[in-house]
Amino acid sequence: MSEVATPQPQDVAKPLSQSAAFLVLTIDETEEAMRTARSVVASTDDLVKNVRIRAADNFFSCNVGIGHRVWDRLTGKPAPKELRPFSEIKGAKHTAVATPGDLLFHIRADNMGLIVEFEKILLEAFGAAATAVDDVAGFRYFDARDLLEFVDGTANASGPDAEHDTIVGSEDPAYAGGSYVVTQKYLHNLGDWRSQSTETQEAIIGRTKFDNLELPDAGADEQKAHKTLCTIEDEDGEHDILRDNMPFANPGKGEYGTYFIGYSRYLWVIERMLERMFIGAPPPLHDRILDFSTAVTGSTFFVPARQFIADLDG
Ligand code: HEM
């Protein structure tokens, strides 16, 4: 029997870019707004082409994610198997909040001018049909560091492994080629973080700061580092995700943050990571990154295969 080819995914497993924007929209309740949104989402690839041709190096990409609240009305199809709203996770000390978001546009380029140009054209096309509830401009900080000054993204898989970790396959044939994505905007308390010794910071992250080497894991009942809390293993082995976190900042307002974005073949894997970070493993030993970083948003989307998006307006 011949294997059915997986539909072409959006640009999920792309290398890190110099700049990115994370644009989250909600769609108005009216049928007309839903129609407009459907048609704009379906035309995303064309809008991307209009901008990409103007980029000297041609590097421009935009992934579109659709949230649970509007899935049925926007697509007219049953939802992907695991798609559900981001659900708040309340630990003893820290909370992963859930915030509204019907559409996510994850826009990447090496030039912020192109990103702004694309967002302008896109938002004009939506008009009153959608409201931007969040729009974060991310930048690359030195050697891929976050604003806690650690190299961020090292453990990400690349090439075929990255596809295997992020792209839905035969477990949900109607949505093969798609990917679950979770986003959270974190604000850092840099003053408190910088008052910690380098050794304490390294123990919190689980890697050395200067040269990015992995430190040994803590024992079963001990306080675990961030990298250990985010390692999910079961009888099927380790379940990895793909992160494309970006620092963002507004120094004049004292705002320094990390925009977390994780793509995964299985939504439960990211949910399990969040439970381990916020509730602790074992509870109440939460991820100490949270003592210096507050999650102010939290949303879940599904990024369907490229053709599914193009066919929405069919
Ligand atoms: C690893 C930073 C939030 C999942 C790391 C590393 C850093 C980091 C510096 C080590 C280097 C690397 O492998 O990338 C941050 C910051 C966050 C944040 C600053 C927000 C304040 C999250 C969240 C998740 C997550 C919310 C998942 C829900 C992971 C995973 C790894 C990792 C899977 C790799 C673990 C391994 O070594 O296999 N993060 N992270 N991170 N983080 Fe985060």
Side-chain angles (χ1 to χ4, degrees), residues 146 148 150-156 184 186 188 205 207 212 214 226-227 230-231 238 240-241 243 245 258 260 270 273-274 277 289 293:
D146 52 44
L148 302 179
F150 279 77
V151 176
D152 193 348
T154 315
N156 272 338
Q184 281 184 304
Y186 284 90
H188 300 307
I205 301 290
R207 283 184 176 266
N212 190 31
E214 215 175 330
H226 173 65
K227 64 125 190 182
C230 290
T231 301
E238 195 170 311
D240 293 327
I241 65 168
R243 292 161 290 132
N245 296 357
T258 297
F260 164 80
I270 302 187
M273 289 177 183
L274 288 170
M277 284 179 67
I289 229 177
S293 317

